[in-house]
Amino acid sequence: MGYVDGLKCRECGREYPVDPIYVCEFCFGPLEVIYDYKAIKKVLKRKTIEKRDKSLWRYKELLPIDGEPQVGLKSGFTPLIKADNLAKELGVKELYVKDDTVAHPTLSFKDRVVAVALTKAKEFGFDTVACASTGNLAHSVSAQGAKAGFKRFVFIPATLEQSKIVASLVYEPNLVAVDGNYDEVNINCSEIANKYKWAFVNINIRPFYAEGSKTQGFEIIEQLGWKAPDNVVVPCASGSLLTKVWKSFKEFKEIGIIKELETKVFAAQATGCSPISVAIKNGTDVIRPVKPNTVAKSLAIGNPADGFYASQVVKETGGYGEDVSDEEIIAGIKLLARTEGIFAETAGGVTVASAKKLIEQGKIGRDDTTVICITGNGLKTQEALAGHTSQMHHISPKLDAFEEVLKKIRGK
Ligand SMILES: *Cc1c(COP(=O)(O)O)cnc(C)c1O
Ligand SMILES: [Zn+2]
C-alpha cells in the first residue's frame, strides 16, 4: 500500500531501492525518499485527512512506510497556538506557535521522526534500534523503543543535561555517554553502525527518519485552515527539520492540497553553534564546522549534515538566518512563558529570540502571518534557567507571615 518509489541521491540523482542505506555509493551524497505523487494526489484530499485520527499518521501516504503505522500511534498533531500576547510584544499582527512542547510521548518534535523511523525499522525486520543524540532523540528512542519492544543502544555526549539523562534512563535502554561533543559521538556511531546490524535511526535509517519531520509542516498548513504561512522560523541542529518543513509545504502544493506557496523559511541558531546562520549571513554555500559552546545543547551540532541544504532552502525562499547569545536564549524562554504560558526548552528560546531579531530587522514583515516552531519542553532543560528566574516567597505557616509578604508584593 505504500507510495514510495525508492531512494534518490540528492547530488547525482542516482536511484536506489528501499533499504536501510543513507549515502550514495558513487558520489557520497545523502539519499532522499521519493514518492509517486500522481498516485498520492488521487487518494489524499483535505477531506480524507480531516476524517482521520489526530496524529501524524493522518498524512501516512506522504510517509515512507509500506504497511500500517506500528510505533508512535498517538504522536504528532500538536496544537498550533495563536500567540496574540507575544505578537503584541514583538509588534506583529499575526503570530502562531507550533507547540511541540506537548509532543507525545516525550515532549519534543523528535517523537515525530522516531515514530516513523521505528515503524520503518520494524518493516525492515530489525530487533535493535540505536541513535546518536543531542538529548531529545535519546529520550524518544528510549521511550518509543521500549513500547515497541526493541533492544536499544543510545549514545549521548557525556556533558548532556542531567534531566535528559534521567528522562532516558527511566526506560532502561543501554545508554552510552561518550566523552566528546555530539559531532564526535556521531563519528563514533558511524563506525559502530558499519559493524553492527542495528537500525541507527539517524544514520542508516536517516532518509526515513527525516521524513517524519515533514508532519510538523503538514500540520501547520492544515491548522492554519489549509494555507501556508508567509514566514516560518525553524531552529536548526543538523538542519534536517528545516529542509523537511519546506519539503512538506512543497508536497502539499504538488498534490493540490494548497494552491499557493510563497513562504519564506528562516533558520534559527545559537551564536555558540551557528554554522548555518553564519553561512546564510555571509552569503556563502560553504558550511564551516564549529566547536559548539552554547546552553542550547539540543541544537549543538557543529558539523551539520543537512546544513548546506538548509541554507539553500533559506536562499531559495527569500528567508534569512539569525543566531542569538545564551542571554538572549534565556530571555526568549522567559518571554514565551510570560506571554503565552508555554515553557520551552533552550531550542525554543533560540527560536523566539531569533524571531524577535528578524522582526526588528524588518526581515519578517509586521503585517505577515508568521509561525515559529517550538520544538521541545522546558522541563527538560531547567538547569539553563538556574539563577535566571524570579524568586519565591518563603514563609512560616501563619496568616500574618503571608500578609507581610503580600504587603511587599503590593508595593510597600
Ligand atoms: C533535534 C532538535 C531540533 C533540530 O534538529 P535538526 O537536526 O535540525 O533536524 C530542534 N529542536 C529540538 C528541541 C531538537 O531536539
Ligand atoms: Zn550520488
Side-chain angles (χ1 to χ4, degrees):
M1 66 143 273
Y3 292 88
V4 172
D5 271 349
L7 299 174
K8 187 174 178 181
C9 173
R10 293 188 72 152
E11 291 302 322
C12 73
R14 199 174 291 266
E15 296 193 11
Y16 293 84
V18 172
D19 275 321
I21 51 173
Y22 63 107
V23 65
C24 176
E25 285 171 19
F26 293 86
C27 76
F28 302 107
L31 303 183
E32 170 100 6
V33 179
I34 50 170
Y35 297 84
D36 181 353
Y37 292 121
K38 278 209 187 98
I40 296 173
K41 189 171 181 167
K42 285 191 198 127
V43 295
L44 196 62
K45 313 274 182 201
R46 291 180 186 180
K47 284 222 166 62
T48 338
I49 296 170
E50 281 165 348
K51 275 189 225 132
R52 290 180 174 166
D53 194 27
K54 289 195 162 52
S55 81
L56 59 82
W57 296 110
R58 63 207 266 114
Y59 316 103
K60 65 181 178 184
E61 286 82 354
L62 289 164
L63 294 171
I65 61 169
D66 294 329
E68 287 301 311
Q70 300 186 56
V71 182
L73 299 184
K74 296 290 174 189
S75 293
F77 220 76
T78 58
L80 183 76
I81 307 290
K82 189 146 192 287
D84 288 337
N85 299 335
L86 181 59
K88 205 165 165 199
E89 288 255 349
L90 299 182
V92 292
K93 217 161 89 190
E94 217 181 332
L95 186 68
Y96 295 85
V97 169
K98 182 56 176 162
D99 187 7
D100 272 10
T101 68
V102 293
H104 185 79
T106 66
L107 311 180
S108 89
F109 105 91
K110 291 298 195 301
D111 287 327
R112 301 173 180 279
V113 283
V114 172
V116 174
L118 297 199
T119 294
K120 199 66 206 169
K122 288 247 169 203
E123 288 186 353
F124 282 137
F126 285 102
D127 67 356
T128 303
V129 294
C131 68
S133 173
T134 58
N136 287 315
L137 187 57
H139 193 182
S140 191
V141 167
S142 301
Q144 301 207 60
K147 164 83 169 158
F150 284 110
K151 288 176 227 154
R152 292 147 290 150
F153 283 87
V154 171
F155 298 83
I156 54 168
T159 54
L160 202 62
E161 295 99 338
Q162 196 56 37
S163 43
K164 279 189 183 147
I165 294 175
V166 174
S168 299
L169 281 175
V170 72
Y171 310 100
E172 302 188 348
N174 300 293
L175 187 69
V176 185
V178 181
D179 288 323
N181 59 33
Y182 172 83
D183 299 285
E184 291 164 311
V185 176
N186 198 33
I187 292 167
N188 192 202
C189 283
S190 298
E191 286 170 357
I192 296 166
N194 274 335
K195 181 148 182 201
Y196 296 90
K197 297 264 160 289
W198 299 340
F200 256 97
V201 300
N202 56 341
I203 302 178
N204 56 342
I205 306 294
R206 187 173 180 87
F208 309 95
Y209 151 96
E211 289 289 292
S213 290
K214 291 190 310 193
T215 59
Q216 198 176 72
F218 295 145
E219 290 171 18
I220 288 171
I221 286 182
E222 180 176 354
Q223 291 168 322
L224 280 175
W226 300 111
K227 67 178 191 4
D230 298 316
N231 312 293
V232 61
V233 185
V234 188
C236 293
S238 72
S240 176
L241 173 63
L242 185 146
T243 65
K244 295 295 177 173
V245 165
W246 179 237
K247 185 179 180 186
S248 74
F249 287 6
K250 281 196 305 188
E251 286 181 337
F252 264 6
K253 172 120 193 278
E254 170 94 35
I255 65 164
I257 295 248
I258 55 168
K259 293 277 165 300
E260 271 154 53
L261 177 56
E262 280 168 43
T263 308
K264 293 179 179 163
V265 182
F266 294 85
Q269 292 211 287
T271 304
C273 183
S274 50
I276 299 173
S277 63
V278 165
I280 293 165
K281 287 186 198 172
N282 291 342
T284 163
D285 287 342
V286 184
I287 306 288
R288 277 248 183 83
V290 300
K291 236 189 166 59
N293 180 17
T294 166
V295 283
K297 294 186 185 184
S298 57
L299 302 180
I301 298 184
N303 190 8
D306 291 294
F308 168 73
Y309 301 106
S311 70
Q312 294 305 107
V313 166
V314 167
K315 196 156 94 177
E316 179 189 332
T317 62
Y320 200 62
E322 203 34 277
D323 50 77
V324 289
S325 68
D326 283 0
E327 293 74 51
E328 290 170 308
I329 293 169
I330 304 293
I333 292 174
K334 292 174 69 175
L335 176 61
L336 183 63
R338 175 164 59 75
T339 54
E340 296 299 328
I342 294 170
F343 185 17
E345 72 143 83
T346 46
V350 168
T351 307
V352 171
S354 297
K356 182 168 185 277
K357 270 194 178 171
L358 291 161
I359 290 163
E360 285 162 0
Q361 294 162 1
K363 296 258 179 351
I364 288 179
R366 294 186 185 272
D367 292 330
D368 290 354
T369 300
T370 300
V371 174
I372 61 174
C373 296
I374 301 301
T375 46
N377 195 298
L379 294 172
K380 302 208 229 183
T381 61
Q382 293 191 51
E383 291 100 308
L385 286 177
H388 296 285
T389 60
S390 58
Q391 297 301 305
M392 59 185 170
H393 307 281
H394 194 157
I395 62 167
S396 56
K398 304 256 169 52
L399 179 60
D400 45 340
F402 171 66
E403 287 181 328
E404 197 96 334
V405 166
L406 192 57
K407 244 188 264 164
K408 272 194 223 148
I409 293 172
R410 285 185 165 163
K412 285 132 227 182

